Amino acid sequence: MGPSGSGKTTLLNVLAGQTTASPRLHLSGLLEVNGQSMSNKSFKFAYVRQEDLFFSQLTVRETLSLAAELQLKEISSKEDREEYINNLLFKLGLVSCADTRVGDAKVRGVSGGEKKRLSMACELIASPSVIFADEPTTGLDAFQAEKVMETLRQLAQDGHTVICSIHQPRGSVYAKFDDIVLLTEGEVVYAGPARDEILTYFSKFGATGKGVIGWWRQFSLLLKRAWMQASRDGPTNVVRTRMSIASALIFGSVFWRMGRSQTSIQDRMGLLQVAAINTAMAALTKTVGVFPKERAIVDRERAKGSYMLGPYLLSKLIAEVPVGAAFPLLFGTILYPMARLHPTLSRFGKFSGIVTVESFAASAMGLTVGAMVPTTEAALALGPSLMTVFIVFGGYYVNADNTPIIFRWIPRASLIRWAFQGLCINEFKGLEFDHQNSFDIQSGEQALERLSFGGSNISETVMAQSRILLFWYYATYLLLEKNKPQYQRLEPPPPPPADQTEPPQIEPDQPVESDDSQGQSFEILETPTVEQGKPDPLAELEPPASAELSMFELDGL
């Protein structure tokens, strides 16, 4: 027994000596039967193949008779041969179809089970000691398969050794086997008694119960899967790479090699703002376009108890760090020299770090959006809408000091604002601008004061973005935990009302009077008794008390 391709038919062919010869094939091994080499041909064997091939126009009896005449040379008498055939027909349950044509796909004939038993009968004519049967239940329904296996079981009880291959037997068929060899991928994994012994054998190996693996084991496996998913997503990564390069080239061309004039101050602020917006939107749209589909898989796996939510989210965060950081770094590497931003290596490193952290925060926001809504379309509609609010309060269009009190929390929660603030501090601190008038901005610190960024530093902005990232991840955790699949439980039916009583019983020997709608009365009288020895005229019309009505018993109609 074993799955498809495990080597069942190959092993059976080797044991029966039915392997087709080929110069590319070499068989080696020792085959013994009861301690004697099989090569001495001291016993007869039969081989029942999967395909049942017969002449369709011959009857079952004619097929067996011709086979007997060809193989039983020792039986010369016609009467003895017919008796032998009749015994074989009876033994294999073919008496009822003995005079029926075998048939084929075009000619209607015997059933599949009867044809399989006819194959056995043809092989049993020579009274073999060993019967090989290659998947004898193939193509049969449950009833016919049961009858064929019962026939093989009876042959084994009559003294034949029956060896058969089988793919996926039902329980009643499996119970007929005495011994079993379990194969997988051409290897023997069990050989011994069938029935419960094989279950006892396999219960010794890795029996850990319906239990969940440990937290760290879950994390390591989920991290491996998340990394393979992120790194192998070629189409998405190619698109993000092209978008990063294209955006950098466009912005670098527009803000090509900015100088130190007064007008360059506005240009620098505009470039840093669009850099923050572009980085956040790219990470957000990628996440909201993918995560709702992934969430359906996660919900299904969590419903089965495969893993907990914590290891999944942590593994996803860590696995996407290398891939997620590559695109902001690529964007900054192209844009920074083209626009001639603050030309020092440390400032470039800080620029890249700020946009990378912002990208992770936007991706975490995308996870929350994907956990809030049921479909990808809804996530793609909601995510950019929320990001637009954060862009408005991002520090460039509305000064934080002029924000209404009821909206003061939005700039503090805006990842665009903190990224823009960090980029401005990194760019303007230490810069000197050309000036002609006293009211001109002479230093970068003065430009930061006009944006209300004067009292901040880069580490503060990075910490704020980190808090936003953790907030969105925690919100995602809560939403996924709250919206985990819920299944309706089957509850017992409510008990009947306590005041419900049974209808009153009417005694048959008591007359009961009742008034109908016409004001007339009628009475129920005692059923007349039948005198002993006389037939009851109503007995033929009423079924006995013990009779049960069956929808399949229609003989009386």
Side-chain angles (χ1 to χ4, degrees):
M1 188 171 73
S4 298
S6 61
K8 301 186 298 296
T9 301
T10 302
L11 176 60
L12 213 61
N13 289 338
V14 172
L15 295 178
Q18 298 292 302
T19 305
T20 304
S22 172
R24 297 178 298 176
L25 181 65
H26 175 71
L27 297 178
S28 63
L30 181 63
L31 185 59
E32 294 182 345
V33 179
N34 295 334
Q36 298 180 2
S37 176
M38 189 175 175
S39 60
N40 58 18
K41 302 296 183 183
S42 58
F43 60 91
K44 297 180 180 179
F45 70 91
Y47 195 102
V48 181
R49 304 181 183 274
Q50 292 190 42
E51 302 85 5
D52 303 315
L53 302 178
F54 299 103
F55 290 96
S56 60
Q57 302 301 326
L58 300 181
T59 64
V60 172
R61 187 186 302 275
E62 291 170 344
T63 300
L64 287 177
S65 298
L66 289 173
E69 291 186 28
L70 292 173
Q71 299 182 41
L72 298 179
K73 299 180 176 61
E74 63 274 12
I75 303 179
S76 58
S77 173
K78 181 179 180 181
E79 291 76 12
D80 294 342
R81 193 160 45 245
E82 289 181 353
E83 182 180 0
Y84 185 86
I85 294 300
N86 289 333
N87 291 335
L88 199 57
L89 290 170
F90 178 78
K91 188 175 184 179
L92 293 177
L94 297 173
V95 176
S96 60
C97 63
D99 298 318
T100 304
R101 293 183 182 182
V102 176
D104 55 13
K106 299 180 180 179
V107 180
R108 182 177 176 84
V110 297
S111 66
E114 292 169 339
K115 190 175 295 186
K116 183 66 67 175
R117 294 200 299 274
L118 177 58
S119 297
M120 298 178 191
C122 291
E123 297 295 335
L124 289 174
I125 287 178
S127 298
S129 301
V130 181
I131 302 173
F132 295 97
D134 187 14
E135 299 199 19
T137 60
T138 299
L140 303 180
D141 57 31
F143 175 75
Q144 295 290 352
E146 187 81 20
K147 294 187 67 174
V148 168
M149 296 308 299
E150 183 60 37
T151 302
L152 289 175
R153 176 69 179 174
Q154 187 61 45
L155 292 175
Q157 293 175 350
D158 292 342
H160 301 276
T161 298
V162 181
I163 303 174
C164 69
S165 63
I166 198 160
H167 172 64
Q168 190 177 7
R170 57 187 300 183
S172 58
V173 170
Y174 175 77
K176 300 184 189 313
F177 295 113
D178 298 310
D179 298 281
I180 184 174
V181 175
L182 189 61
L183 302 177
T184 177
E185 297 183 358
E187 300 289 339
V188 178
V189 294
Y190 175 83
R195 302 184 178 90
D196 295 337
E197 286 83 351
I198 187 172
L199 300 178
T200 305
Y201 173 77
F202 280 110
S203 65
K204 303 175 184 177
F205 302 100
T208 57
K210 288 305 178 181
V212 181
I213 60 178
W215 196 96
W216 284 109
R217 180 61 175 167
Q218 294 180 29
F219 170 73
S220 62
L221 292 176
L222 294 173
L223 179 62
K224 179 181 178 181
R225 184 180 71 175
W227 168 247
M228 291 189 295
Q229 177 67 21
S231 61
R232 295 178 182 177
D233 191 4
T236 302
N237 294 335
V238 169
V239 170
R240 294 187 68 184
T241 300
R242 292 176 178 175
M243 290 296 296
S244 298
I245 296 175
S247 300
L249 291 175
I250 293 173
F251 297 154
S253 301
V254 173
F255 299 94
W256 174 258
R257 293 191 174 276
M258 294 180 295
R260 301 294 179 91
S261 64
Q262 293 293 306
T263 56
S264 70
I265 298 175
Q266 180 182 357
D267 294 343
R268 291 175 189 273
M269 291 180 180
L271 173 61
L272 298 179
Q273 176 72 359
V274 296
I277 294 173
N278 178 77
T279 301
M281 291 297 292
L284 176 72
T285 53
K286 181 265 177 183
T287 304
V288 298
V290 173
F291 182 66
K293 301 176 183 177
E294 183 177 328
R295 191 189 69 180
I297 303 175
V298 174
D299 288 343
R300 182 181 62 193
E301 293 175 339
R302 289 179 59 214
K304 297 187 295 185
S306 299
Y307 50 81
M308 294 181 290
L309 186 57
Y312 163 73
L313 284 178
L314 183 60
S315 65
K316 186 173 182 62
L317 171 63
I318 296 177
E320 292 185 353
V321 166
V323 178
F327 305 107
L329 290 176
L330 178 62
F331 174 78
T333 302
I334 299 174
L335 175 66
Y336 205 87
M338 289 184 66
R340 193 187 283 175
L341 294 173
H342 207 132
T344 62
L345 186 60
S346 61
R347 298 293 180 106
F348 170 71
K350 293 176 182 178
F351 177 92
S352 301
I354 291 171
V355 294
T356 300
V357 175
E358 182 198 17
S359 176
F360 293 152
S363 180
M365 176 182 169
L367 293 178
T368 304
V369 173
M372 291 171 59
V373 295
T375 62
T376 302
E377 292 75 12
L380 290 173
L382 179 60
S385 300
L386 292 177
M387 188 64 73
T388 301
V389 177
F390 292 149
I391 291 174
V392 172
F393 293 91
Y396 182 75
Y397 302 104
V398 178
N399 193 289
D401 294 339
N402 298 330
T403 304
I405 297 178
I406 59 174
F407 298 131
R408 288 285 173 90
W409 63 273
I410 300 181
R412 289 192 290 269
S414 172
L415 52 92
I416 300 290
R417 177 265 176 114
W418 290 111
F420 176 63
Q421 179 174 326
L423 293 175
C424 287
I425 294 173
N426 180 65
E427 174 64 21
F428 283 100
K429 271 194 175 182
L431 274 185
E432 296 293 334
F433 295 99
D434 300 334
H435 59 280
Q436 297 178 351
N437 303 311
S438 59
F439 54 83
D440 290 341
I441 297 177
Q442 303 179 11
S443 64
E445 284 75 6
Q446 291 178 343
L448 292 176
E449 289 292 340
R450 293 194 176 187
L451 293 172
S452 299
F453 295 161
S456 302
N457 53 55
I458 294 179
S459 59
E460 179 184 348
T461 61
V462 172
M463 290 297 298
Q465 288 190 87
S466 301
R467 289 194 296 268
I468 293 175
L469 185 151
L470 294 177
F471 168 78
W472 288 122
Y473 262 94
Y474 184 65
T476 302
Y477 179 89
L478 294 179
L479 287 171
L480 291 178
E481 189 66 29
K482 178 183 177 182
N483 298 330
K484 63 183 179 180
Q486 302 287 341
Y487 301 102
Q488 186 67 36
R489 298 182 60 183
L490 180 63
E491 299 179 358
D499 57 350
Q500 182 176 352
T501 58
E502 296 183 357
Q505 301 292 331
I506 300 177
E507 297 293 337
D509 55 350
Q510 302 270 339
V512 179
E513 294 187 357
S514 175
D515 294 335
D516 59 3
S517 59
Q518 302 295 330
Q520 299 177 353
S521 63
F522 66 94
E523 60 182 12
I524 302 175
L525 301 178
E526 178 184 357
T527 303
T529 59
V530 181
E531 296 183 10
Q532 187 175 4
K534 294 185 179 181
D536 187 358
L538 299 179
E540 297 180 359
L541 301 179
E542 299 183 17
S546 60
E548 295 182 357
L549 181 62
S550 173
M551 67 175 66
F552 300 106
E553 296 177 359
L554 304 176
D555 295 340
L557 297 180

